[in-house]
Amino acid sequence: MFKLKSIQRPITKIGTNEKELKYVLQLLSSGQIGEKEVVNFCSKHTNVPQATVRAVLDSCCQTIEYHLALGYSVKLGDVGIFYPTISYKAVDDNTKAGLAQLEKVNIRFRPNVLLTEAVNKAEKESVGVYKIVDYEKGFYQEVGRRELGDGSGNGDNTNETPSGGTGGGNTDAGGGFAG
């Protein structure tokens, strides 16, 4: 289940230095699972021995690494496609063109449509709506708790926030939290 909170933040108006307070939605991280948890889950749900699951997982990782290093994209069933991209610097002169332009090789992932749909259908819970009490110190106060999709938002700002963004636990003072 996804846990989300709406918090008030100063947002810079486009084309100006002026800031205005807007409520933004944040995805709260549920943490991270490791290889051990993946192996145990797969083994339990398939009745395949843990050693076999671990060996297959290791082999898949080696296969993906090997083929990405050769410049291939790797499609992994219903999961999605891993593919390489590059970051580079543009140059004006052909004498400066070439491998020296390369800054970094990146690994990207494009999830399968079915995976994306399954995650989008996951249950979501609002953990509260918070207004700024003291932005510099990161104190917020809960002002409500609205269920998602109730039509109360104006929908004029849509931004992605990765899980594990800012935010924190409740503080003892004022019922807010340090952000």
Side-chain angles (χ1 to χ4, degrees):
M1 170 189 308
F2 288 109
K3 293 187 179 186
L4 302 117
K5 67 180 175 186
S6 186
I7 66 169
Q8 194 177 38
R9 285 259 165 96
I11 305 292
T12 304
K13 287 184 178 181
I14 296 174
T16 71
N17 289 330
E18 186 180 334
K19 293 189 184 259
E20 60 185 347
L21 293 176
K22 294 278 189 176
Y23 284 90
V24 298
L25 197 60
Q26 285 187 336
L27 174 62
L28 302 179
S29 175
S30 295
Q32 180 177 347
I33 66 165
E35 182 178 333
K36 182 179 180 181
E37 291 83 8
V38 171
V39 168
N40 289 340
F41 184 91
C42 291
S43 178
K44 181 179 175 184
H45 287 84
T46 62
N47 291 323
V48 174
Q50 289 182 5
T52 303
V53 173
R54 186 174 308 281
V56 170
L57 185 59
D58 289 345
S59 180
C60 283
C61 290
Q62 290 172 2
T63 302
I64 292 168
E65 178 184 331
Y66 176 80
H67 286 90
L68 286 173
L70 292 175
Y72 287 95
S73 294
V74 180
K75 183 175 181 188
L76 197 57
D78 291 337
V79 175
I81 301 171
F82 294 88
Y83 61 98
T85 65
I86 59 170
S87 299
Y88 59 89
K89 52 187 168 202
V91 295
D92 295 326
D93 188 341
N94 70 342
T95 62
K96 295 179 184 176
L99 285 178
Q101 293 177 261
L102 180 64
E103 292 177 335
K104 187 177 174 183
V105 176
N106 309 296
I107 300 171
R108 304 288 187 225
F109 175 70
R110 184 178 318 119
N112 179 292
V113 172
L114 296 176
L115 174 62
T116 301
E117 288 173 356
V119 172
N120 283 328
K121 289 179 184 176
E123 193 174 330
K124 296 156 190 80
E125 175 187 356
S126 174
V127 296
V129 177
Y130 298 85
K131 73 175 184 176
I132 293 175
V133 174
D134 185 336
Y135 186 72
E136 297 299 321
K137 292 183 180 177
F139 291 114
Y140 291 78
Q141 178 182 13
E142 186 172 1
V143 294
R145 194 170 288 255
R146 291 189 194 86
E147 291 304 313
L148 302 172
D150 66 359
S152 62
N154 61 14
D156 61 349
N157 283 330
T158 303
N159 294 303
E160 287 187 18
T161 302
S163 179
T166 62
N170 289 331
T171 63
D172 293 329
F177 66 91

